[in-house]
Amino acid sequence: MRRIRLDIAYDGTNYHGWQYQEGQSTIEGELRRALSELLPGEEIGLTGASRTDAGVHARQNTACFDTKSRIPGANFSMALNCRLPEDIRILRSMEAGEDFHPRFSPHKKVYEYRIGRSRIPDPLKRLYCFPFSFPLSLSEMRLAAEELVGEHDFRSFANPDSQVLMHGGAAVRTLYELSLREEGEELILHFEGSGFLYHMIRILTGTLLEIGSGRRRAAEIPEILAARDRRRAGFTAPAKGLCLLALCYEGDSPLPEGNLSGAERK
């Protein structure tokens, strides 16, 4: 058996998230269908790195599967793209070591959340940006971001329905970077971490927006973290503004030029 790695980009608008669900359109479901067409007779076991929510986009998610096929690893991308809908694309395929696992091999996750600041939202960005035209104090939001960086128990910023929490898993995660930048009439929140809990980035975003708009103070962040209570944090921002930019594994080479995300060019 050979293990094949896929780096995948997709527009999540029309899908019920990554994870396969019977009777629903999902990213994993479309990939499994395409693999079944390409490799008839093989039982397809596909493992993804990040189970993005419904409506969340990705410039690079990563998955792998095992196969007996002799198709060269690099050729799977073209073969699968011919069988996938236009809003899902394999950026790169390659043979991986048998010990490679998208979730458990050491890596860093990079996400961005886009917020539209225009008084009249741009209709061409409606699927990829959360419109929020209220005045914001970016300095207060940056103070709050500084309090969130580092290793913390993020239970207050996780949906209680998280499978990890429901099965007694830990809520401790390391946030390496949380920064804000402006691009035209958009505010972009940049997140880099060891991993994220269910809805964690969207709740962090909602909390930062409440701080920026004066409904909360940056000084409340330590209290919210210590409470380990979802009710203490802010609202859950919509999925459409969130994009998984990159999964950075040890020893990875850059994606081919033209497929690079902003995170990988840093």
Side-chain angles (χ1 to χ4, degrees):
M1 296 288 281
R2 303 158 58 217
R3 180 155 295 178
I4 303 298
R5 168 177 164 174
L6 305 175
D7 290 322
I8 309 144
Y10 49 85
D11 179 332
T13 302
N14 296 321
Y15 298 95
H16 288 79
W18 166 273
Q19 192 168 6
Y20 176 80
Q21 300 174 55
E22 188 70 36
Q24 301 280 12
S25 293
T26 68
I27 306 299
E28 183 182 11
E30 288 294 335
L31 289 167
R32 285 170 56 173
R33 177 193 56 74
L35 283 166
S36 295
E37 290 178 8
L38 180 63
L39 305 170
E42 286 201 31
E43 184 174 343
I44 304 300
L46 187 70
T47 302
S50 184
R51 298 173 181 175
T52 51
D53 299 337
V56 174
H57 316 292
R59 288 192 179 276
Q60 183 205 345
N61 202 344
T62 297
C64 73
F65 65 95
D66 293 336
T67 180
K68 298 177 181 178
S69 169
R70 296 183 179 180
I71 298 173
N75 291 2
F76 276 96
S77 57
M78 182 69 72
L80 289 171
N81 284 338
C82 293
R83 294 167 169 83
L84 287 167
E86 292 181 338
D87 49 6
I88 303 175
R89 280 294 173 266
I90 309 301
L91 303 177
R92 174 173 63 183
S93 61
M94 67 184 81
E95 195 144 356
E98 62 180 16
D99 59 342
F100 174 75
H101 192 289
R103 287 205 298 275
F104 303 131
S105 294
H107 67 284
K108 175 176 67 177
K109 291 184 170 69
V110 183
Y111 284 87
E112 281 188 351
Y113 194 98
R114 290 185 172 263
I115 300 159
R117 305 289 296 120
S118 174
R119 185 176 62 85
I120 300 175
D122 184 341
L124 300 182
K125 296 181 178 180
R126 72 192 187 282
L127 303 177
Y128 314 105
C129 188
F130 173 40
F132 194 91
S133 59
F134 299 100
L136 290 174
S137 169
L138 299 190
S139 59
E140 190 74 2
M141 293 174 72
R142 289 190 171 104
L143 285 175
E146 290 175 7
E147 295 286 347
L148 290 162
V149 170
E151 184 180 84
H152 303 287
D153 186 316
F154 283 99
R155 190 176 301 268
S156 291
F157 296 93
N159 188 317
D161 291 336
S162 165
Q163 291 295 310
V164 171
L165 300 184
M166 291 176 69
H167 289 88
V172 175
R173 297 291 185 274
T174 301
L175 192 56
Y176 303 125
E177 179 181 338
L178 172 47
S179 59
L180 292 72
R181 73 178 190 275
E182 295 179 277
E183 286 187 4
E185 292 189 300
E186 289 185 5
L187 173 63
I188 300 169
L189 307 187
H190 182 90
F191 300 83
E192 297 187 10
S194 60
F196 297 92
L197 298 161
Y198 185 38
H199 289 173
M200 177 175 158
I201 294 178
R202 293 166 58 189
I203 297 169
L204 286 169
T205 297
T207 305
L208 288 172
L209 286 172
E210 290 186 5
I211 289 169
S213 57
R215 295 172 59 187
R216 296 173 181 268
R217 296 176 297 109
E220 295 177 42
I221 291 296
E223 298 172 10
I224 296 172
L225 285 166
R228 302 176 67 202
D229 183 346
R230 169 67 187 94
R231 294 170 296 181
R232 295 291 299 276
F235 73 96
T236 304
K240 64 181 180 179
L242 183 58
C243 183
L244 171 57
L245 283 188
L247 295 160
C248 306
Y249 293 90
E250 293 178 359
D252 256 3
S253 58
L255 283 166
E257 188 63 37
N259 289 333
L260 293 176
S261 71
E264 293 163 298
R265 291 195 181 104
K266 287 180 65 181

